[in-house]
Amino acid sequence: MRPSVLILSLASLTSLLGAGQCIRLTTWNLRYDSQPDNTTVADTLSALPDRLQEPTSFYPDASRERPWSSRRVGVAALLEFQAPTIISFQEALFRQVQDLKELLGADWDWVGIGRDDGKARGEFSPIFFNKTLVQLKSWDTFWLSDTPFDVSKYPSAGSYRICTVAHFSTGGKNLTVLNTHFDDQSDDQRRLAASLILHRARYEAATTGASVFVNGDFNSPAEGTDNGAYRIFSGRIPPVAINSTFTSKFAIPSKSPLPSNFTMLDTRGTTPRSKVFGHFATYTGFSKLGVTSPYGRIDFVFGASHVNWKSVAYKADEALYDDGVYLSDHRPVTVDLLLP
Ligand SMILES: *[C@@H]1O[C@H](CO)[C@@H](O)[C@H](O)[C@H]1NC(C)=O
Ligand SMILES: *[C@@H]1O[C@H](CO)[C@@H](O)[C@H](O)[C@H]1NC(C)=O
Ligand SMILES: *[C@@H]1O[C@H](CO)[C@@H](O)[C@H](O)[C@H]1NC(C)=O
Ligand SMILES: *[C@@H]1O[C@H](CO)[C@@H](O)[C@H](O)[C@H]1NC(C)=O
Ligand SMILES: *[C@@H]1O[C@H](CO)[C@@H](O)[C@H](O)[C@H]1NC(C)=O
């Protein structure tokens, strides 16, 4: 059945809200393909069980990770049902990116690179987009380190970390999407990463005058002791010093049209309370049902405050269903955004 039959389509949402262009943005950390096998997408599709068969038990063995080959069809089906305009993934290895392109089909295209070599090695933070809804203008990647234009790692970080930037236009409006995944081990890296991305977001806002959204896995919550990135993003503490080649390349015009109270707004907070749906936590791990100690809200969608976009609905969805197969250790977060 077509998704638009079951949920309010973006087109009807847009007409309901009057003039303006609505985009549906999803961010989802997919969990990397940690148990690779050689099962093809075609093999998985042909082995799917009879969908009328009642399960012998609910949530069987729902406390462990399954190989990507057993998760990918559910990942793609969930996304197709929600019919986002743009999807930001994190942790996707090249095989996962290729599989999703195959499963999501011809309407979709994507941009991104592997963080470990700037080509295909390591995890991607790719941006997928329905190319019948948005047109890609340009894109680039930088590293979240002291040398942002080199394949590089921040000294105390566990991994190479990147940010993918894509410029789109849709219905005569422009927007910039930045997709990222901060380090899991170093709050210093996360502070630096947030400072680099905040600078780039200001640059995008000042030079395009259009909407700017930043999404991804911050590997740290909004509150607590480990939340340097969120505090920098929300303006509660100042950014840290960043590379000067980066600030010259992305120099913010001195006659900057940005308001002095420019900040990044957390769309979970800007969405009307009655339209915030689903879960609070976006990370669950592969924990047993009811074991919530690892849970946290660490995946965010932020919008830059200089223009008046509206977040009209927000959903942190489920990644674990009756069959007990965690689609990922993170839940997908989806926001409907009305562009100014
Ligand atoms: C996948 O196939 C390659 C080439 O045939 C083989 O070397 C590799 O061991 C296989 N991997 C697994 C996990 O079966
Ligand atoms: C992409 O957008 C078009 C509308 O232009 C829609 O018909 C189509 O179903 C979308 N594709 C997916 C896979 O959501
Ligand atoms: C800034 O980054 C550039 C490009 O990655 C690098 O060549 C340069 O050495 C860096 N500057 C400093 C002071 O680290
Ligand atoms: C959108 O961006 C293009 C450059 O890619 C620019 O020429 C155009 O004027 C922009 N449109 C708006 C409405 O700002
Ligand atoms: C910034 O200031 C303007 C003018 O006072 C106000 O309308 C706007 O809501 C403020 N924005 C934020 C993010 O506080």
Side-chain angles (χ1 to χ4, degrees):
M1 201 178 289
R2 289 180 41 75
S4 56
V5 179
L6 294 161
I7 55 174
L8 197 57
S9 74
L10 283 171
S12 60
L13 189 62
T14 299
S15 59
L16 201 76
L17 292 161
Q21 190 78 18
C22 199
I23 60 157
R24 176 167 288 172
L25 182 61
T26 293
T27 183
W28 199 0
N29 180 323
L30 292 176
R31 174 66 181 179
Y32 77 102
D33 182 11
S34 76
Q35 304 166 18
D37 54 33
N38 287 327
T39 316
T40 64
V41 168
D43 289 342
T44 308
L45 290 174
S46 62
L48 288 175
D50 175 0
R51 297 312 204 185
L52 296 178
Q53 184 66 52
E54 199 172 315
T56 48
S57 67
F58 290 96
Y59 298 105
D61 204 10
S63 58
R64 67 180 174 90
E65 178 178 359
R66 308 299 207 286
W68 166 248
S69 59
S70 357
R71 303 190 278 120
R72 61 192 167 194
V73 173
V75 165
L78 183 152
L79 290 167
E80 286 189 288
F81 198 94
Q82 296 206 159
T85 319
I86 298 170
I87 313 170
S88 291
F89 293 115
Q90 300 85 36
E91 250 181 81
L93 297 178
F94 190 45
R95 176 194 188 198
Q96 293 172 287
V97 176
Q98 290 174 303
D99 286 358
L100 286 164
K101 169 64 188 139
E102 183 175 345
L103 285 162
L104 291 172
D107 283 345
W108 292 85
D109 212 338
W110 64 275
V111 296
I113 54 163
R115 67 190 188 185
D116 292 357
D117 66 353
K119 299 184 186 94
R121 197 151 59 79
E123 296 172 8
F124 289 58
S125 290
I127 300 177
F128 276 63
F129 53 97
N130 182 331
K131 61 189 179 198
T132 71
L133 294 170
V134 289
Q135 289 73 55
L136 178 73
K137 298 290 188 189
S138 59
W139 69 281
D140 62 272
T141 299
F142 57 92
W143 274 261
L144 302 170
S145 70
D146 292 324
T147 50
F149 303 118
D150 301 316
V151 178
S152 54
K153 188 170 92 61
Y154 185 79
S156 60
S159 310
Y160 291 80
R161 298 289 174 180
I162 53 174
C163 177
T164 309
V165 184
H167 296 108
F168 295 106
S169 72
T170 177
K173 293 166 193 286
N174 293 331
L175 75 149
T176 309
V177 175
L178 296 92
N179 178 27
T180 194
H181 184 190
F182 293 169
D183 199 60
D184 56 336
Q185 295 175 24
S186 167
D187 203 56
D188 288 339
Q189 190 281 340
R190 295 193 289 264
R191 285 169 192 243
L192 179 77
S195 304
L196 284 161
I197 294 177
L198 184 60
H199 181 87
R200 181 69 190 266
R202 291 186 80 101
Y203 168 83
E204 294 297 329
T207 53
T208 70
S211 299
V212 178
F213 300 104
V214 177
N215 64 36
D217 175 3
F218 272 34
N219 255 318
S220 53
E223 302 300 334
T225 53
D226 240 10
N227 64 342
Y230 191 96
R231 281 193 287 159
I232 287 170
F233 247 59
S234 53
R236 280 189 274 160
I237 57 172
V240 301
I242 57 175
N243 175 283
S244 58
T245 314
F246 188 83
T247 51
S248 341
K249 182 170 159 90
F250 301 115
I252 297 165
S254 55
K255 285 211 162 40
S256 157
L258 293 180
S260 59
N261 63 356
F262 176 91
T263 188
M264 300 303 296
L265 301 170
D266 183 337
T267 58
R268 189 178 167 95
T270 56
T271 304
R273 288 182 182 187
S274 60
K275 306 295 181 196
V276 175
F277 178 69
H279 295 292
F280 182 79
T282 64
Y283 176 77
T284 59
F286 297 105
S287 57
K288 268 203 179 102
L289 275 183
V291 177
T292 57
S293 46
Y295 283 28
R297 186 170 83 95
I298 62 172
D299 300 87
F300 303 100
V301 178
F302 291 94
S305 69
H306 64 299
V307 287
N308 195 23
W309 49 267
K310 292 213 166 5
S311 53
V312 295
Y314 172 106
K315 180 183 188 185
D317 212 326
E318 187 50 82
L320 174 68
Y321 292 90
D322 283 356
D323 63 4
V325 177
Y326 272 103
L327 296 176
S328 175
D329 53 352
H330 288 249
R331 293 162 164 164
V333 173
T334 297
V335 188
D336 284 341
L337 296 157
L338 188 64
L339 302 181

